[in-house]
Amino acid sequence: DTVLTQSPALAVSPGERVTISCRASESVSTLMHWYQQKPGQQPTLLIYLASNLESGVPARFSGSGSGTDFTLTIDPVEADDTATYYCQQSWNDPPTFGGGTKLELK
Amino acid sequence: QVQLKETGPDLVQLTQTLSITCTVSGFSLTTYNVHWVRQPPGKGLEWMGAMWNGGGTDYNSAFKSRLSISRDTSKSQVFLKMNSLQTDDTAKYFCARHPDPEIDGELGFDYWGQGVMVTVSS
């Protein structure tokens, strides 16, 4: 299975720019998606196909990358962005998720 | 308005069978795929399997032959059944909508249910 590796946690101040990384154990082309999950809630789709903003998602969120290295950027970060962020690949079977990056605000 | 809602037991006994229903509205099961994803408490997301819009299924081999996914299109329901439950099957189980890649391109899981928390008890 394709393993997706994310940093466990990040802490930033409101108004700053934050980048969350996701590294795949093998190429996933651009079939990488990003989700936000707040405590007690279901995940919500932020970015699909590495860099496409899902409808209704603020333009503060952006994604980039291809192959094995991907990045989710939030600029500027707001208090409401406190959540865990997951990457997910759909190039290789089975679909797999990263372990999640918990974003905390200082 | 697209909605998915999981219903199932809060508690299942060790070695017994888990049955969860995902009832959808706002879209057709013959147009969209529905996937099952689970999340143990405090942990990450794990893909379990899929019901394709054409009626076929796909499973994560991690669940070997324990898992079965089916549907009733007339009731807009997708069913998950998993047998031989162990304590590490304790998790929140989600169903999620997946647009058909052959029609819309690969768009990820665009809508999720709220999930149902299932505890496996000995």
Side-chain angles (χ1 to χ4, degrees):
Chain A
D1 296 1
T2 303
V3 176
L4 302 180
T5 302
Q6 299 182 242
S7 298
L10 287 172
V12 298
S13 298
E16 291 185 344
R17 178 177 184 267
V18 65
T19 59
I20 297 171
S21 65
C22 176
R23 175 163 287 178
S25 60
E26 57 188 322
S27 177
V28 299
S29 185
T30 57
L31 268 65
M32 182 67 78
H33 319 295
W34 290 93
Y35 302 86
Q36 177 191 67
Q37 186 180 34
K38 297 182 179 180
Q41 297 184 16
Q42 69 270 45
T44 59
L45 180 65
L46 297 174
I47 301 286
Y48 62 93
L49 290 177
S51 61
N52 295 273
L53 194 66
E54 174 70 354
S55 176
V57 174
R60 303 183 290 105
F61 293 88
S62 63
S64 64
S66 66
T68 61
D69 291 297
F70 298 84
T71 299
L72 172 70
T73 300
I74 311 173
D75 186 15
V77 172
E78 296 183 358
D80 188 53
D81 299 334
T82 297
T84 299
Y85 293 84
Y86 292 94
C87 54
Q88 178 245 325
Q89 67 82 23
S90 56
W91 178 253
N92 299 309
D93 192 41
T96 50
F97 292 86
T101 297
K102 187 173 184 179
L103 180 65
E104 297 180 340
L105 268 64
K106 297 177 185 175
Chain B
Q1 182 183 4
V2 173
Q3 290 186 322
L4 301 92
K5 183 174 176 62
E6 305 89 347
T7 51
D10 297 329
L11 192 66
V12 178
Q13 296 301 309
L14 198 65
T15 74
Q16 296 303 299
T17 297
L18 171 65
S19 296
I20 303 175
T21 298
C22 174
T23 303
V24 310
S25 59
F27 68 95
S28 171
L29 294 178
T30 59
T31 303
Y32 289 85
N33 307 316
V34 172
H35 294 240
W36 289 95
V37 176
R38 74 176 185 178
Q39 184 173 38
K43 296 189 176 181
L45 301 164
E46 180 178 32
W47 181 80
M48 299 183 70
M51 169 58 72
W52 304 119
N53 56 7
T57 53
D58 193 12
Y59 300 106
N60 188 329
S61 61
F63 298 97
K64 297 181 181 179
S65 58
R66 294 202 296 146
L67 181 62
S68 174
I69 298 173
S70 60
R71 71 180 184 180
D72 183 336
T73 56
S74 68
K75 295 183 178 180
S76 294
Q77 294 179 326
V78 180
F79 309 104
L80 177 148
K81 282 194 176 182
M82 189 163 68
N83 58 31
S84 304
L85 255 61
Q86 301 300 311
T87 54
D88 61 1
D89 292 314
T90 293
K92 181 172 277 192
Y93 289 77
F94 297 98
C95 55
R97 191 182 84 159
H98 176 223
D100 189 336
E102 294 188 7
I103 297 174
D104 301 306
E106 178 55 63
L107 301 178
F109 301 142
D110 62 351
Y111 287 89
W112 296 62
Q114 294 179 328
V116 58
M117 182 66 207
V118 177
T119 301
V120 180
S121 172
S122 56

